[in-house]
Amino acid sequence: MDTTGSLPASHRAVLRGAADLEPGFACAAHGILADLVAGGAALGWTEPPSADEVTALVGQVAAAVRAGDGALRAAYRDGRLVGFGYWLRYARPTHRPHADLEKLAVAADAHGHGVGRALTGALIADARAAGIEVLTLDARGDNANALHLYRSLGFTEYGRLPGFVAVGEKRYDKVFCMLDLRGPGRRP
């Protein structure tokens, strides 16, 4: 269990891996996701997901973690879930050395306090420990805060699909980023 010691004491969060998630995690995760999506967050939904949808998602991620094909981290402040994120290993055999950071969500009242940075840092550490060679992610092009966070942690943009993400009548770029974890001298 890691504590995000760089946060002010009033905003300190405890990071936990999948093995020690609090009971009710799926319900709390649903609350965060539904609230963020209702506020227009770029998390892959145009309408807030249902509780059943989030419960199924959490079950799929937990199964991948148990199989060694993913990592899930959650941040708690004062016993309350304030954020979570996960990566999953690619299923295609030729892509198995790599993983995709698929979701990072931080409760609105915890934004700006380093929770997303702590979660992402822990997920990167988990990827290194699992032998992941390249960690990828994609973000909506207007999600400047997320893109800034990822760049500050070493991710680089490797592609962009203009106008690919459809939210009603609006269109946004889909930005692809990667973090090469192979280290110097190990890249092809």
Side-chain angles (χ1 to χ4, degrees), residues 85-184:
Y86 64 89
W87 58 256
L88 298 174
R89 190 181 296 272
Y90 283 97
R92 187 177 296 168
T94 56
H95 297 160
R96 295 284 299 157
H98 314 297
D100 191 53
L101 197 159
E102 295 195 10
K103 193 81 61 208
L104 183 71
V106 176
D109 65 346
H111 285 181
H113 298 292
V115 175
R117 177 173 296 282
L119 284 166
T120 307
L123 289 165
I124 291 168
D126 291 342
R128 277 193 175 98
I132 298 299
E133 293 179 7
V134 178
L135 185 60
T136 62
L137 61 85
D138 63 75
R140 200 167 79 187
D142 69 325
N143 196 344
N145 290 337
L147 289 168
H148 174 75
L149 169 67
Y150 299 136
R151 287 181 186 117
S152 75
L153 291 170
F155 283 86
T156 58
E157 183 177 327
Y158 70 89
R160 183 179 288 254
L161 292 172
F164 187 81
V165 180
V167 181
E169 296 298 315
K170 295 181 180 177
R171 298 295 181 265
Y172 303 94
D173 291 357
K174 183 174 185 174
V175 180
F176 297 94
C177 299
M178 61 169 280
L179 179 63
D180 195 325
L181 300 172
R182 292 175 284 195

